[in-house]
Amino acid sequence: MENRTSQPLPEEHVRQRHLDRLVMMSDGVFAIAMTLSAVELRPELAPGESLASAWATPLAIYFLSFAIIAGVWFAHRRSLAHLSDVDNPTTWINLLLLSLVALMPVVIRFLLSNAAGQGSNAGMVAYGLAMTATYACLALAWGYPALYVGLAPNVPRRQAWSWFLEYLFVALLFGAMALYFLHLVLLAVLVALAATAMRAASLLIGRSRKP
């Protein structure tokens, strides 16, 4: 009787499995976050208020939030598509990013509930800080594997830097918004200027890359 011993899987196949599992989990979390954003909408029709008026602000915030989460997903999809492998730090950074994405419906509900308050900026501050953390984590989720450990060998380094600065630009922009609603206007202006410089550098690096 012939003895058959199991052969270890090729290393490339194992790496692809790890990457595929991360992609599947990421898509699932993004899909749930996008769906729950609609569940968080609870417009209430006040006496004498029109239906359009009751739904205007919640729908505007919902579609904006859906677009922002979709933008994070689009950037995250692009990042994962160019990775040839994932190590443990890359996996943990991506899990942190997914935890922030999953938190977005709660942030949206807080924003909606505080929008009804008179003169309350707490919702906008929480929203700005949440998006700052999300895009900063997105930048780290790309910058660490692509620029530090070289897990995106097919992406030119200048292009990798361009994407990294693009994510930091968005993080700083939301950070400036949060600072503005905290009444730290001067600091908000400085952060906004830093964000503008970051975006200009991103575009400059991206356009000057070698074909």
Side-chain angles (χ1 to χ4, degrees), residues 160-183:
W161 272 108
S162 177
W163 292 348
F164 177 70
L165 294 175
E166 177 185 335
Y167 303 151
L168 285 183
F169 154 72
V170 181
L172 288 176
L173 204 59
F174 278 107
M177 184 190 77
L179 290 171
Y180 176 81
F181 283 102
L182 284 171
H183 305 294

Side-chain angles (χ1 to χ4, degrees), residues 12 28 99 101 113 138 146:
E12 182 179 353
S99 72
V101 170
S113 63
L138 180 63

Side-chain angles (χ1 to χ4, degrees), residues 27 69 77 81 103 113 137 143 153 159 166 180:
D27 285 345
I69 295 175
R77 183 197 68 168
L103 193 63
S113 63
C137 194
Q159 181 66 76
E166 177 185 335
Y180 176 81

Side-chain angles (χ1 to χ4, degrees), residues 127-158:
Y127 190 72
L129 291 177
M131 293 308 303
T132 298
T134 300
Y135 270 89
C137 194
L138 180 63
L140 184 61
W142 170 249
Y144 171 80
L147 298 171
Y148 186 71
V149 292
L151 297 182
N154 295 324
V155 179
R157 195 161 184 83
R158 295 183 68 89

Side-chain angles (χ1 to χ4, degrees), residues 22-188:
L22 182 59
V23 170
M24 287 188 292
M25 182 175 184
S26 300
D27 285 345
V29 171
F30 275 101
I32 292 173
M34 288 169 141
T35 303
L36 289 182
S37 295
V39 178
E40 296 300 326
L41 297 178
R42 298 184 179 93
E44 296 182 1
L45 190 61
E49 186 179 16
S50 67
L51 186 62
S53 177
W55 276 89
T57 299
L59 283 179
I61 295 176
Y62 160 70
F63 282 115
L64 176 62
S65 301
F66 189 97
I68 290 175
I69 295 175
V72 177
W73 172 82
F74 189 89
H76 189 250
R77 183 197 68 168
R78 180 177 67 178
S79 299
L80 289 184
H82 287 89
L83 295 184
S84 60
D85 192 6
V86 289
D87 58 5
N88 286 337
T90 301
T91 301
W92 282 111
I93 294 170
N94 276 273
L95 289 175
L96 176 59
L97 172 62
L98 295 178
S99 72
L100 294 171
V101 170
L103 193 63
M104 282 309 301
V106 180
V107 176
I108 294 167
R109 181 177 60 194
F110 184 73
L111 174 62
L112 287 170
S113 63
N114 279 269
Q118 295 181 354
S120 176
N121 292 329
M124 294 301 297
V125 171
Y127 190 72
L129 291 177
M131 293 308 303
T132 298
T134 300
Y135 270 89
C137 194
L138 180 63
L140 184 61
W142 170 249
Y144 171 80
L147 298 171
Y148 186 71
V149 292
L151 297 182
N154 295 324
V155 179
R157 195 161 184 83
R158 295 183 68 89
Q159 181 66 76
W161 272 108
S162 177
W163 292 348
F164 177 70
L165 294 175
E166 177 185 335
Y167 303 151
L168 285 183
F169 154 72
V170 181
L172 288 176
L173 204 59
F174 278 107
M177 184 190 77
L179 290 171
Y180 176 81
F181 283 102
L182 284 171
H183 305 294
L184 301 173
V185 179
L186 179 58
L187 188 56

